[in-house]
Amino acid sequence: MHRTRKTVAVRERLGEVASDIRFPDRYQLIQSLKAAAAAALAWAVTGWWLAAPMALMAPWAAVALVQGTVYRSLRSAVELLAMMASGTLFAAGAAAVTGNTMTAMLIALPLTVLLGNWLPVGEQGLYAPTTALFVLAYGTYSLPAVGHRLLETVVGAVVGIAVNAIVLPPVHSLHVKNLAVALPRDCSRLLRDLSEGIVEEYDEERAEGWHRAAGELPGALSELRAARGWSTESFRFNPGHRMRRSTPSPSERWDVVWAQVGNQLLTITLTLWGTASERHALPRPPGAFLKDLSAVLAAASDVCAADETIMEQGPDDACLEERAGHLSRARRALADAKRHLHGPGPDAGASLGSLVAGCQALLDDLTPGEDGSALTAGGARTGRT
């Protein structure tokens, strides 16, 4: 019996670990295969052309320069070549002066590490000391040998950049669209959970979970802004981006609107958390008010779900009309909720007023602008994936 329980516990633990494993996506698989192909090609070229029996510098540089964008490959190539050339020259010079590999290592390594940390080259700074180690491991420090190592590095850099630019050059605008679609989807789910939960006897733990979920929305917005940067960069010096199919991509107005929606959800969930907590003096709103508030949140959830569909599939008259109907239903429900503001005392009125104000601001943020440039109707522009 004890062994059975232990076996079940182990299986459950293994299941949890397996569910947390993230398998590589298509982009990661393609970039990995490209890096391997670039290394093999660089090795073959230097072995055939330069007749190098151990041409480590070329495949090493080729792998390092299969970056996330073609522009980043070009920029990193300059930094990498500078660092690898510095490591080569420092190591060869120290070995030529001292005539001893260990002594040369004690001289070259501190200097190359300092150089890599001092110069604004980011991760490429690591290549200065590691190149120095490779050069010292070769054991040949003559001028022709140093020139040979530098030529191998240049060949590897050219091969890595060429493979990254020619073979399925990476473009990241599809990731922008996926993140933009996730914003209204997450807001819709949270609003739906709030709508269903407040009509029940929600406790402090559940209300805290709502607030924690609302607090994760700014992180999603930051991820979207970072993805925009990657998308813009991936079009620079990219010879293949014009051959990709066009897809709708959100304007920056989309980010602003959902940042505002996220702020209102933070306010609403914080108030609900306060009404459920024993440490705060906010009284729980009466059931009749929570029922009307639930209708507001349910309709707002439907508005966000419509925005998700519009961003994913593009705007059409039927979907826009359906969205407008959900928004009108939310405003009618909010008007019903406002009638409860005149009844309760000042303590209960504080929580009711905060919730009503948060919902009012939420619906205002979800309402199209006067110029017609709503986050749905005018908030999408054409991009490429």
Side-chain angles (χ1 to χ4, degrees), residues 91 138 322:
Y138 272 114
E322 182 181 0

Side-chain angles (χ1 to χ4, degrees), residues 206-216 265-267 269-270 273:
R206 188 172 186 183
E208 183 182 0
W210 292 335
H211 188 63
R212 191 183 306 112
E216 293 174 356
L265 287 174
L266 275 172
T267 300
T269 54
L270 181 61
W273 187 12

Side-chain angles (χ1 to χ4, degrees), residues 27 117 120 167 176 258 356:
Y27 162 76
N117 291 332
V167 182
V176 175
W258 291 104
V356 167

Side-chain angles (χ1 to χ4, degrees), residues 135-183:
V135 170
L136 292 172
Y138 272 114
T140 54
Y141 320 114
S142 63
L143 186 60
V146 171
H148 205 278
R149 303 291 170 260
L150 295 178
L151 183 57
E152 290 175 16
T153 304
V154 172
V155 170
V158 171
V159 171
I161 294 172
V163 169
N164 200 36
I166 296 173
V167 182
L168 296 175
V171 176
H172 298 278
S173 57
L174 181 60
H175 189 46
V176 175
K177 181 186 175 183
N178 291 337
L179 290 173
V181 170
L183 284 172

Side-chain angles (χ1 to χ4, degrees), residues 59 85 98 360:
T98 62
Q360 177 73 62

Side-chain angles (χ1 to χ4, degrees), residues 172-174 176-177 180 224-225 227-233 235 245-255 310-315 374-385:
H172 298 278
S173 57
L174 181 60
V176 175
K177 181 186 175 183
L224 175 57
R225 295 189 185 101
R228 286 186 185 279
W230 273 96
S231 177
T232 301
E233 182 181 304
F235 281 84
R245 60 185 177 85
S246 299
T247 58
S249 180
S251 68
E252 293 186 1
R253 172 63 182 163
W254 183 265
D255 302 14
I310 291 171
M311 175 53 62
E312 190 171 20
Q313 302 177 3
L375 70 154
T376 54
R381 56 181 173 83
T382 299
R384 296 183 185 272
T385 63

